[in-house]
Amino acid sequence: MKFKSIKGTKDVLPDESHRWQFVEQTIRSVMHAFNYREIRTPVFEETAIFARSIGESTDIVGKEMYTFQDRSGTSLTLKPEMTASVIRAYIQHNLGEQQQLVKLYYLAPMFRQERPQAGRLRQFHQFGAEAIGSQLPVVDAENIALAAEIYRTFGMKNFSIRVNSVGCEICRPAYKQKLKNFLQKIFDKLSEESKRRFEQNPLRILDSKDENDRSLTASAPLMKDHLCAECEMHFEELKSVLTSLKIIFEVDGRIVRGLDYYTKTAYEIVSTDLGSQDALAGGGRYDVLVKELGGKNAPAVGFAAGIERLMMTMEKQHLFPDSSARPVFFIAAADDAGRRWAIQQAIEFRRHGISCDVDLLCRSLKAQMREAGRQAARYVIIAGEDELKQDQVKVKNMSSGEQTEARVSQLLAEAKRLHASP
Ligand code: AMP
């Protein structure tokens, strides 16, 4: 019987993993520059955390979660998104008591049982950043700037930032009713999916991908035009800070986000290089979630971004550096004495941070040279009993073919010099 990976999941093979490392390191360095600090939480949580926060009527909770009972009968769920889990940890460990504004970032796998297609997986990876403890629009602006800076750092083109306000518990109910009144008139012509959303989640009809739905709702009332004074002021200030930061954005009244907990700011970053699943990142403000999950009142804002979609876009725009992990040295042995020395020397090099490989399969010298070429090692060091006795090993530059000699006692210093050279 042959086993295969589960549909909608992917293996990252060694030829690709260096790209992941590059992407992850770059993201971390920008996050640190913005003074966001990393948080890691378990891959599963109590199911109720997600049901309570994301909302029972959302697609995620309604049909996409990987939920199971463990042996003691507790209902657990593999994280479909990170915010609820971060907030659970924030409350549990009283992070808000040490400082007023807590800025956290993460890189983690997420799980959703969606129909797999390009850019849509069942296990995918997100990076994201949450700023908890302030309602000021400048925090939203910094959070958006952080997301934008990550894409800018990669050299990404063809992406845009779309910003909206989805109001709050004061202004949204009246708007929701107004929207329902509008939708009622066109209800019969809406797609089945939108009809289903009418009762529970009418705002989501506005971000339907169905062309017919979109033209039917072209003149629908938008939340951003029905904000209360406080939400209106917040939105105006956010736009003003973004403009002063020279961040190019569009206001898009149709952005509502799929999750229930958003208030005021909602934003998306989309790429024209992604096809139908064009969202690179989504985020927004969630001022009541901390309280909802049992914490003190702590307004917050954050975003989540897909790593696979980022990498698909980078691939399309040729943004990956073409270096792959390859050893700097291959230590080839001409005989048994050489073999014993080679493995010791390799350990010594590695202890000094110099990457190298050595033959572990007792191959002939010719086969070892071939292997060094296959691994694209920059230099091959060749030694046998004679060379070791004379304290002179050969060092071959694999790109120029040039061969020099080095004393064994000086080899580490020479290796460090070659390692540091371009
Ligand atoms: P969401 O939490 O749904 O707003 O997702 C945030 C980001 O995660 C999206 O903009 C995508 O880049 C990514 N994402 C969401 N769902 C998937 C998925 N099933 N497969 C791959 N990436 C996803």
Side-chain angles (χ1 to χ4, degrees), residues 30-102:
V30 182
M31 293 287 190
H32 293 156
F34 275 69
N35 200 25
Y36 276 72
R37 297 197 305 152
E38 186 180 13
I39 183 162
R40 302 185 191 201
T41 64
V43 281
F44 53 79
E45 295 273 1
E46 262 180 71
T47 302
I49 289 180
F50 303 113
R52 274 289 276 282
S53 58
I54 301 171
E56 300 278 2
S57 67
T58 59
D59 286 351
I60 295 180
V61 175
K63 50 187 187 192
E64 294 170 0
M65 294 203 305
Y66 280 99
T67 297
F68 59 96
Q69 285 202 345
D70 73 1
R71 285 169 199 274
S72 61
T74 311
S75 179
L76 302 174
T77 293
L78 299 182
K79 280 186 293 197
E81 61 106 45
M82 188 72 176
T83 305
S85 184
V86 169
I87 296 304
R88 196 264 312 136
Y90 168 89
I91 298 168
Q92 183 176 339
H93 305 287
N94 295 319
L95 297 186
E97 273 171 22
Q98 295 149 29
Q99 61 198 126
Q100 192 189 334
L101 182 63
V102 179

Side-chain angles (χ1 to χ4, degrees), residues 8 60 64 80-82 110-115 117-127 151 257-259 261-262 268-269 274 277-283 303-310:
I60 295 180
E64 294 170 0
E81 61 106 45
M82 188 72 176
M110 302 295 149
F111 306 86
R112 295 184 196 172
Q113 193 159 6
E114 298 194 78
R115 194 168 48 78
Q117 62 184 88
R120 204 200 258 170
L121 294 158
R122 290 184 167 175
Q123 174 174 339
F124 58 100
H125 298 77
Q126 286 185 336
F127 63 95
Y151 295 116
R257 312 281 301 117
L259 294 69
Y261 53 62
Y262 286 107
E268 273 180 14
I269 302 185
L274 272 176
Q277 301 299 318
D278 66 351
L280 282 169
F303 75 83
I307 298 187
E308 284 83 356
R309 295 211 194 150
L310 162 70

Side-chain angles (χ1 to χ4, degrees), residues 259-272:
L259 294 69
D260 272 3
Y261 53 62
Y262 286 107
T263 50
K264 297 193 170 75
T265 311
Y267 71 97
E268 273 180 14
I269 302 185
V270 297
S271 167
T272 50

